[in-house]
Amino acid sequence: MGCKTSITYMNEILEKYRNEKGGEMSSYLLEPTRKQIKEACLWLIDRRKEKYDERILNRFFKFKEGENKMYAIERVKGDKFKPVVNFLTGETKSTTPANLELISWLIDFKPRPLSVYLGSTSKDEEEIIQRHDDRKKQLMQLKKEIGVTEIPETKVIQENNKSITIISQINPSLKITTIVSL
């Protein structure tokens, strides 16, 4: 997977929307109208409350301090939802960050918002990190078994699915190459 950007975020949200036809909210989002987007927001406001969702909604709706959110959404004019509809139907190719975050909330795209998406790692990256951590533990166990009390400067010089080759420099004149089978 390539580098995550605001463009990949937008594309992945659109892809999820198109593939799942709005998912749980398909009755509102399959052929979205301004009224349906508003109704979807009203239906979800008390149901979908993940960590950053309140911030997403505050950014889009600009709620006032202590304001009843459901009542505030009911008072919003349909024109506010027009850019969301235009983006979902393909009439426009991009939209504002606030609109995009609202869409991510409506379709339950994860990870959301953009700041969390940019900081997340893919499953492949997580597997590589886990494999590296496992190999470090194996190396530490091996060092313990052979009685190395001081950890020498160590570098992995070759790695594949079956083995790892490590070079350790005990002192300036002594280097040891170790091959660990996995």
Side-chain angles (χ1 to χ4, degrees):
M1 177 181 232
C3 186
K4 292 182 179 186
T5 66
S6 59
I7 302 298
T8 62
Y9 183 64
M10 179 180 68
N11 291 339
E12 286 183 35
I13 288 171
L14 264 179
E15 183 178 333
K16 178 178 169 84
Y17 169 73
R18 289 178 182 144
N19 289 341
E20 297 179 7
K21 308 295 186 220
E24 175 188 1
M25 301 306 295
S26 62
S27 59
Y28 296 101
L29 302 176
L30 189 57
E31 294 179 23
T33 64
R34 291 178 271 183
K35 183 177 181 184
Q36 288 172 319
I37 298 290
K38 185 178 194 174
E39 288 174 357
C41 291
L42 288 167
W43 192 82
L44 283 174
I45 190 78
D46 289 327
R47 291 173 175 83
R48 188 165 292 152
K49 293 182 175 188
E50 294 192 14
K51 186 174 182 178
Y52 299 100
D53 291 349
E54 189 171 336
R55 185 172 30 170
I56 289 170
L57 296 174
N58 284 336
R59 184 175 185 189
F60 183 83
F61 290 107
K62 300 183 183 345
F63 296 124
K64 293 180 176 93
E65 184 80 28
E67 182 176 32
N68 179 309
K69 291 177 172 73
M70 192 168 279
Y71 181 67
I73 294 171
E74 286 174 352
R75 287 192 331 247
V76 170
K77 294 189 174 162
D79 289 347
K80 180 141 181 90
F81 300 103
K82 187 167 179 54
V84 174
V85 172
N86 290 345
F87 182 70
L88 290 175
T89 58
E91 288 182 45
T92 58
K93 299 287 181 212
S94 64
T95 191
T96 67
N99 292 344
L100 192 59
E101 296 298 6
L102 181 74
I103 295 166
S104 74
W105 176 74
L106 286 168
I107 66 169
D108 202 21
F109 177 84
K110 291 176 184 165
R112 68 173 179 268
L114 175 62
S115 58
V116 173
Y117 171 83
L118 293 174
S120 68
T121 56
S122 71
K123 288 185 180 184
D124 291 341
E125 290 168 331
E126 287 173 13
E127 287 175 18
I128 291 167
I129 291 167
Q130 183 62 47
R131 210 169 50 231
H132 183 264
D133 288 347
D134 290 346
R135 288 185 177 152
K136 259 176 127 175
K137 287 177 189 171
Q138 288 174 342
L139 178 61
M140 293 303 289
Q141 182 63 34
L142 179 63
K143 287 178 179 179
K144 191 185 238 182
E145 287 173 11
I146 61 173
V148 175
T149 54
E150 222 176 89
I151 299 175
E153 183 181 325
T154 304
K155 274 198 258 183
V156 174
I157 57 172
Q158 186 178 4
E159 178 177 355
N160 61 42
N161 291 342
K162 296 181 182 173
S163 68
I164 185 169
T165 304
I166 303 162
I167 188 162
S168 302
Q169 185 156 356
I170 305 297
N171 63 44
S173 63
L174 179 62
K175 288 185 180 178
I176 297 175
T177 302
T178 307
I179 299 174
V180 179
S181 296
L182 306 174

